[in-house]
Amino acid sequence: MIAFLVGFVSFLLAGFGLGGGVLLIPLITFIFPLDQADAKYIALIAYLPAAIGVIISCILEKKTEFAKIVSIIPIGILGSVSGTVISNNIETAFLKKIYSLFLICVGIYMSLNTIFFIKKRQKRKF
Amino acid sequence: MKKKYIYFTSYMAGLVNGMIGSGGGIIALPMLYKILDNEKNAHNTVCFFVFPLSVISASICKKNIEFHVIFPICVGAFFGGVVGKILSNKIKLKYLKIFFSLIIIYIGIRGLI
Protein backbone atom coordinates (compact mmCIF):
# COMPACT_ATOMS: atom_id res chain seq x y z
CA MET A 1 0.00 0.00 0.00
CA ILE A 2 2.81 2.38 0.91
CA ALA A 3 4.58 1.49 -2.33
CA PHE A 4 1.42 2.36 -4.27
CA LEU A 5 1.16 5.74 -2.52
CA VAL A 6 4.84 6.49 -3.12
CA GLY A 7 4.41 5.89 -6.85
CA PHE A 8 1.09 7.75 -6.94
CA VAL A 9 2.34 10.90 -5.19
CA SER A 10 5.59 11.10 -7.18
CA PHE A 11 3.89 10.89 -10.54
CA LEU A 12 0.99 13.09 -9.48
CA LEU A 13 3.50 15.87 -9.18
CA ALA A 14 5.09 14.79 -12.44
CA GLY A 15 1.85 15.72 -14.15
CA PHE A 16 2.51 19.31 -13.07
CA GLY A 17 5.92 19.34 -14.72
CA LEU A 18 8.07 18.24 -11.84
CA GLY A 19 9.73 15.37 -13.67
CA GLY A 20 8.77 11.70 -13.42
CA GLY A 21 11.11 10.05 -10.99
CA VAL A 22 12.70 13.11 -9.47
CA LEU A 23 10.69 12.87 -6.29
CA LEU A 24 10.35 9.10 -6.47
CA ILE A 25 14.01 8.35 -5.84
CA PRO A 26 14.38 10.27 -2.54
CA LEU A 27 11.03 8.89 -1.36
CA ILE A 28 12.15 5.33 -2.07
CA THR A 29 15.53 5.74 -0.39
CA PHE A 30 13.82 7.34 2.61
CA ILE A 31 10.97 4.86 3.07
CA PHE A 32 12.44 1.57 1.87
CA PRO A 33 15.86 0.07 2.71
CA LEU A 34 17.09 0.47 -0.87
CA ASP A 35 20.11 2.32 -2.17
CA GLN A 36 20.49 4.86 -4.95
CA ALA A 37 21.13 2.37 -7.78
CA ASP A 38 18.07 0.28 -6.90
CA ALA A 39 15.92 3.40 -6.57
CA LYS A 40 17.15 4.53 -9.99
CA TYR A 41 16.08 1.23 -11.54
CA ILE A 42 12.65 1.51 -9.91
CA ALA A 43 12.27 5.08 -11.19
CA LEU A 44 13.12 3.97 -14.74
CA ILE A 45 10.61 1.12 -14.62
CA ALA A 46 7.92 3.19 -12.89
CA TYR A 47 8.16 5.89 -15.57
CA LEU A 48 7.11 3.42 -18.27
CA PRO A 49 3.44 2.88 -17.30
CA ALA A 50 3.00 6.59 -16.66
CA ALA A 51 4.53 7.40 -20.06
CA ILE A 52 2.41 4.77 -21.82
CA GLY A 53 -0.74 6.41 -20.43
CA VAL A 54 0.37 9.82 -21.69
CA ILE A 55 1.44 8.42 -25.07
CA ILE A 56 -1.88 6.66 -25.65
CA SER A 57 -3.90 9.75 -24.75
CA CYS A 58 -1.69 11.87 -27.02
CA ILE A 59 -2.09 9.53 -29.96
CA LEU A 60 -5.85 9.65 -29.50
CA GLU A 61 -5.91 13.45 -29.20
CA LYS A 62 -3.19 13.92 -31.86
CA LYS A 63 -1.33 16.40 -29.67
CA THR A 64 2.22 15.38 -30.36
CA GLU A 65 4.88 15.97 -33.00
CA PHE A 66 6.58 12.65 -33.14
CA ALA A 67 8.16 13.22 -36.55
CA LYS A 68 10.37 15.99 -35.24
CA ILE A 69 12.00 13.92 -32.54
CA VAL A 70 12.53 10.69 -34.48
CA SER A 71 15.98 11.82 -35.63
CA ILE A 72 17.16 12.76 -32.13
CA ILE A 73 15.97 9.65 -30.30
CA PRO A 74 19.04 7.57 -31.36
CA ILE A 75 21.34 10.23 -29.91
CA GLY A 76 19.34 10.19 -26.72
CA ILE A 77 19.64 6.41 -26.62
CA LEU A 78 23.41 6.74 -27.03
CA GLY A 79 23.47 9.11 -24.07
CA SER A 80 21.25 6.79 -22.08
CA VAL A 81 23.52 3.80 -22.70
CA SER A 82 26.63 5.76 -21.72
CA GLY A 83 24.91 7.08 -18.61
CA THR A 84 23.77 3.63 -17.51
CA VAL A 85 27.19 2.08 -18.12
CA ILE A 86 28.84 4.87 -16.12
CA SER A 87 26.38 4.52 -13.25
CA ASN A 88 26.82 0.74 -13.18
CA ASN A 89 30.52 1.19 -12.60
CA ILE A 90 30.65 3.97 -10.00
CA GLU A 91 30.10 3.73 -6.27
CA THR A 92 26.64 4.24 -4.81
CA ALA A 93 27.80 7.02 -2.49
CA PHE A 94 29.22 9.01 -5.41
CA LEU A 95 26.08 8.39 -7.45
CA LYS A 96 24.07 9.79 -4.55
CA LYS A 97 26.18 12.95 -4.54
CA ILE A 98 25.71 13.40 -8.27
CA TYR A 99 21.98 12.92 -7.80
CA SER A 100 21.87 15.46 -4.94
CA LEU A 101 23.70 18.00 -7.10
CA PHE A 102 21.25 17.31 -9.91
CA LEU A 103 18.31 17.84 -7.55
CA ILE A 104 19.67 21.22 -6.47
CA CYS A 105 20.12 22.31 -10.10
CA VAL A 106 16.64 21.09 -11.05
CA GLY A 107 15.07 22.81 -8.03
CA ILE A 108 16.75 26.13 -8.82
CA TYR A 109 15.90 25.88 -12.51
CA MET A 110 12.25 25.04 -11.86
CA SER A 111 11.72 27.73 -9.25
CA LEU A 112 13.35 30.42 -11.43
CA ASN A 113 11.40 29.23 -14.47
CA THR A 114 8.11 29.37 -12.59
CA ILE A 115 8.85 32.75 -11.00
CA PHE A 116 9.74 34.33 -14.34
CA PHE A 117 6.71 32.76 -15.96
CA ILE A 118 4.48 34.26 -13.26
CA LYS A 119 6.09 37.68 -13.71
CA LYS A 120 5.64 37.45 -17.48
CA ARG A 121 1.95 36.69 -17.07
CA GLN A 122 1.50 39.56 -14.60
CA LYS A 123 3.16 41.99 -17.01
CA ARG A 124 0.85 40.93 -19.82
CA LYS A 125 -2.20 41.71 -17.76
CA PHE A 126 -1.32 45.41 -17.59
CA MET B 1 24.89 25.56 -34.63
CA LYS B 2 21.29 24.77 -33.86
CA LYS B 3 21.72 21.11 -34.83
CA LYS B 4 24.75 20.80 -32.55
CA TYR B 5 22.72 22.25 -29.69
CA ILE B 6 19.86 19.80 -30.36
CA TYR B 7 22.17 16.79 -30.56
CA PHE B 8 24.12 17.83 -27.48
CA THR B 9 20.95 18.39 -25.44
CA SER B 10 19.51 15.03 -26.57
CA TYR B 11 22.72 13.30 -25.57
CA MET B 12 22.78 15.03 -22.18
CA ALA B 13 19.13 14.16 -21.59
CA GLY B 14 19.96 10.51 -22.29
CA LEU B 15 23.07 10.64 -20.13
CA VAL B 16 21.22 12.10 -17.16
CA ASN B 17 18.36 9.66 -17.63
CA GLY B 18 20.80 6.76 -17.64
CA MET B 19 22.83 7.92 -14.66
CA ILE B 20 20.06 9.18 -12.44
CA GLY B 21 16.94 7.39 -13.60
CA SER B 22 14.89 10.48 -14.32
CA GLY B 23 15.41 14.02 -15.42
CA GLY B 24 15.87 13.42 -19.12
CA GLY B 25 12.55 15.12 -19.66
CA ILE B 26 13.54 18.17 -17.65
CA ILE B 27 16.64 18.65 -19.81
CA ALA B 28 14.91 17.91 -23.10
CA LEU B 29 11.90 20.15 -22.48
CA PRO B 30 13.49 23.56 -23.23
CA MET B 31 15.00 22.11 -26.40
CA LEU B 32 11.61 20.79 -27.51
CA TYR B 33 10.00 24.18 -26.93
CA LYS B 34 12.37 25.52 -29.58
CA ILE B 35 12.09 22.79 -32.20
CA LEU B 36 8.37 22.08 -32.13
CA ASP B 37 5.79 24.05 -34.06
CA ASN B 38 3.32 24.13 -31.22
CA GLU B 39 4.75 24.66 -27.75
CA LYS B 40 1.75 23.06 -26.11
CA ASN B 41 2.76 19.69 -27.57
CA ALA B 42 6.13 19.82 -25.83
CA HIS B 43 5.08 18.12 -22.59
CA ASN B 44 3.50 15.26 -24.51
CA THR B 45 6.34 14.88 -26.98
CA VAL B 46 8.84 14.67 -24.13
CA CYS B 47 7.18 11.41 -23.04
CA PHE B 48 7.70 10.01 -26.52
CA PHE B 49 11.33 11.05 -26.35
CA VAL B 50 12.17 9.76 -22.88
CA PHE B 51 10.24 6.48 -23.15
CA PRO B 52 12.77 4.59 -25.34
CA LEU B 53 15.63 6.05 -23.31
CA SER B 54 14.15 4.68 -20.10
CA VAL B 55 13.42 1.28 -21.64
CA ILE B 56 16.99 0.82 -22.81
CA SER B 57 18.48 2.20 -19.62
CA ALA B 58 16.36 -0.14 -17.50
CA SER B 59 17.38 -3.14 -19.58
CA ILE B 60 21.11 -2.40 -19.15
CA CYS B 61 20.91 -1.37 -15.50
CA LYS B 62 21.96 -3.72 -12.68
CA LYS B 63 18.89 -5.33 -11.24
CA ASN B 64 18.37 -6.75 -7.78
CA ILE B 65 14.84 -5.72 -6.97
CA GLU B 66 12.00 -8.11 -6.55
CA PHE B 67 8.84 -7.82 -8.59
CA HIS B 68 6.57 -7.47 -5.56
CA VAL B 69 8.32 -4.21 -4.66
CA ILE B 70 8.26 -2.69 -8.14
CA PHE B 71 4.74 -3.68 -9.14
CA PRO B 72 2.74 -1.58 -6.63
CA ILE B 73 4.99 1.42 -7.28
CA CYS B 74 4.38 1.06 -11.04
CA VAL B 75 0.62 0.81 -10.52
CA GLY B 76 0.72 3.90 -8.29
CA ALA B 77 2.86 5.70 -10.86
CA PHE B 78 0.39 4.95 -13.63
CA PHE B 79 -2.60 6.30 -11.73
CA GLY B 80 -0.57 9.22 -10.39
CA GLY B 81 0.44 10.18 -13.92
CA VAL B 82 -3.12 10.00 -15.22
CA VAL B 83 -4.58 11.98 -12.32
CA GLY B 84 -1.70 14.48 -12.44
CA LYS B 85 -2.27 15.11 -16.14
CA ILE B 86 -6.00 15.64 -15.64
CA LEU B 87 -5.44 17.95 -12.68
CA SER B 88 -2.73 19.97 -14.41
CA ASN B 89 -5.17 20.77 -17.21
CA LYS B 90 -7.66 22.10 -14.70
CA ILE B 91 -5.56 23.65 -11.94
CA LYS B 92 -2.67 26.07 -12.29
CA LEU B 93 -0.53 25.53 -9.24
CA LYS B 94 2.48 27.72 -9.92
CA TYR B 95 3.09 28.45 -6.26
CA LEU B 96 2.91 24.74 -5.49
CA LYS B 97 5.61 24.21 -8.11
CA ILE B 98 7.87 26.75 -6.40
CA PHE B 99 7.19 25.10 -3.07
CA PHE B 100 8.16 21.68 -4.38
CA SER B 101 11.22 23.12 -6.13
CA LEU B 102 12.38 24.34 -2.73
CA ILE B 103 11.75 20.89 -1.25
CA ILE B 104 13.84 19.35 -4.01
CA ILE B 105 16.67 21.81 -3.33
CA TYR B 106 16.48 20.95 0.37
CA ILE B 107 16.62 17.20 -0.35
CA GLY B 108 19.58 17.81 -2.65
CA ILE B 109 21.47 19.79 -0.02
CA ARG B 110 20.71 17.12 2.61
CA GLY B 111 22.10 14.50 0.24
CA LEU B 112 25.33 16.39 -0.26
CA ILE B 113 26.04 17.02 3.41
Side-chain angles (χ1 to χ4, degrees):
Chain A
M1 186 62 196
I2 296 173
F4 176 84
L5 283 173
V6 164
F8 185 79
V9 167
S10 318
F11 280 82
L12 190 74
L13 301 168
F16 292 99
L18 217 70
V22 172
L23 205 61
L24 183 68
I25 292 174
L27 274 177
I28 289 173
T29 47
F30 183 67
I31 294 173
F32 302 107
L34 297 169
D35 63 359
Q36 185 72 23
D38 297 333
K40 183 195 85 167
Y41 179 69
I42 293 175
L44 285 167
I45 298 283
Y47 181 78
L48 303 180
I52 287 171
V54 172
I55 286 169
I56 291 172
S57 69
C58 291
I59 291 172
L60 294 172
E61 292 171 19
K62 294 185 183 171
K63 274 187 187 171
T64 185
E65 294 179 42
F66 184 65
K68 295 227 164 170
I69 56 161
V70 166
S71 55
I72 55 170
I73 286 177
I75 300 165
I77 289 174
L78 197 66
S80 180
V81 168
S82 5
T84 317
V85 166
I86 292 170
S87 70
N88 279 347
N89 293 312
I90 60 176
E91 289 174 17
T92 310
F94 188 61
L95 197 64
K96 192 170 181 187
K97 294 221 182 295
I98 294 175
Y99 181 69
S100 306
L101 207 63
F102 175 74
L103 277 185
I104 293 170
C105 295
V106 164
I108 293 171
Y109 171 73
M110 290 196 74
S111 48
L112 288 176
N113 215 17
T114 318
I115 291 168
F116 284 124
F117 188 71
I118 295 170
K119 282 194 173 170
K120 220 177 171 184
R121 287 282 290 266
Q122 284 173 346
K123 274 187 185 173
R124 273 194 207 164
K125 280 181 184 175
F126 296 112
Chain B
M1 181 63 196
K2 196 178 174 188
K3 268 202 168 173
K4 276 187 191 171
Y5 160 75
I6 291 170
Y7 292 153
F8 177 71
T9 317
S10 315
Y11 183 80
M12 287 308 293
L15 191 76
V16 167
N17 208 51
M19 282 190 75
I20 286 168
S22 63
I26 296 169
I27 290 175
L29 201 60
M31 172 193 68
L32 285 173
Y33 276 132
K34 289 181 185 174
I35 66 173
L36 296 180
D37 294 328
N38 188 358
E39 283 186 3
K40 291 179 190 174
N41 294 337
H43 278 268
N44 304 327
T45 313
V46 137
C47 282
F48 273 95
F49 178 66
V50 177
F51 183 78
L53 272 51
S54 295
V55 166
I56 287 171
S57 189
S59 57
I60 300 173
C61 198
K62 282 184 189 166
K63 304 146 206 171
N64 25 322
I65 316 280
E66 282 144 47
F67 185 69
H68 68 90
V69 175
I70 296 183
F71 186 71
I73 295 179
C74 290
V75 173
F78 177 75
F79 286 108
V82 169
V83 172
K85 192 169 191 304
I86 295 168
L87 285 178
S88 69
N89 287 336
K90 297 191 173 177
I91 308 170
K92 304 281 178 186
L93 294 172
K94 295 167 194 130
Y95 298 104
L96 191 69
K97 256 178 146 173
I98 295 176
F99 174 67
F100 279 111
S101 305
L102 293 172
I103 289 184
I104 286 173
I105 293 172
Y106 171 71
I107 295 172
I109 293 172
R110 275 283 298 266
L112 276 181
I113 296 169

